[in-house]
């Protein structure tokens, strides 16, 4: 028996994403890496998008990247996300692209960012990004 909370049991994960959310509890951003071809990928899948191998491992990501695309959301979509807020695609230094929030008043495409963590009640913290160096 384990004391580890399963986010799959809460409906917040599935067996493929469970390791990601467990790492978030520890303040670690992880991505999958293919043991066959070496490509990193996110979001989690049961096979490599590059070579279709099932030999995937979880590895720590640096937590840094570059804003690829950015928009300001001005329409309320949930109580947790009060507009306006920045929504971005961030190219992680390892290669995968991640859809995330940028926690800053302003940001630009091409800006360097670093992972930060947004606490959530009853769920693991959510990886968000802040301008690097702040």
């Amino acid at each position: 028996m384990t004391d580890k909370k399963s986010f799959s049991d809460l409906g917040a994960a599935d067996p493929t994403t469970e390791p990601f959310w467990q790492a978030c509890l520890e303040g670690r951003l992880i991505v999958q890496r293919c043991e066959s071809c070496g490509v990193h990928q996110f979001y989690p899948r049961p096979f490599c998008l590059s070579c279709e191998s099932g030999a995937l491992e979880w590895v720590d990501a640096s937590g840094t990247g570059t804003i690829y695309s950015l928009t300001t959301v001005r329409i309320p979509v949930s109580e947790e996300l009060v507009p306006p807020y920045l929504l971005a695609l961030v190219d992680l230094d390892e290669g995968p692209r991640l859809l995330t929030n940028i926690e800053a008043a302003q940001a630009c495409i091409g800006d360097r960012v670093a992972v930060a963590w947004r606490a959530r009640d009853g769920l693991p913290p959510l990886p968000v990004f802040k301008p690097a160096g702040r």
Side-chain angles (χ1 to χ4, degrees), residues 86 102-107 129-131 134:
L86 299 176
I102 304 295
E103 294 199 337
Q106 294 181 331
F129 285 76
K130 292 184 176 185
R134 290 189 201 170

Side-chain angles (χ1 to χ4, degrees), residues 77-116:
V77 294
S78 77
E79 291 178 12
E80 294 91 25
L81 296 170
V82 179
Y85 59 90
L86 299 176
L87 186 64
L89 289 171
V90 170
D91 285 339
L92 297 176
D93 290 345
E94 292 76 15
R97 189 169 283 160
L98 179 75
L99 180 65
T100 187
N101 289 118
I102 304 295
E103 294 199 337
Q106 294 181 331
C108 295
I109 292 171
D111 284 357
R112 294 287 296 161
V113 290
V115 73

Side-chain angles (χ1 to χ4, degrees), residues 42-84:
F42 187 87
Y43 64 89
R45 296 169 176 90
F47 60 89
C48 174
L49 289 175
S50 180
C51 71
E52 299 183 3
S53 169
L56 297 167
E57 64 180 340
W58 288 98
V59 297
D60 286 318
S62 64
T64 56
T66 305
I67 296 175
Y68 172 80
S69 180
L70 181 72
T71 192
T72 301
V73 177
R74 300 182 191 284
I75 299 172
V77 294
S78 77
E79 291 178 12
E80 294 91 25
L81 296 170
V82 179

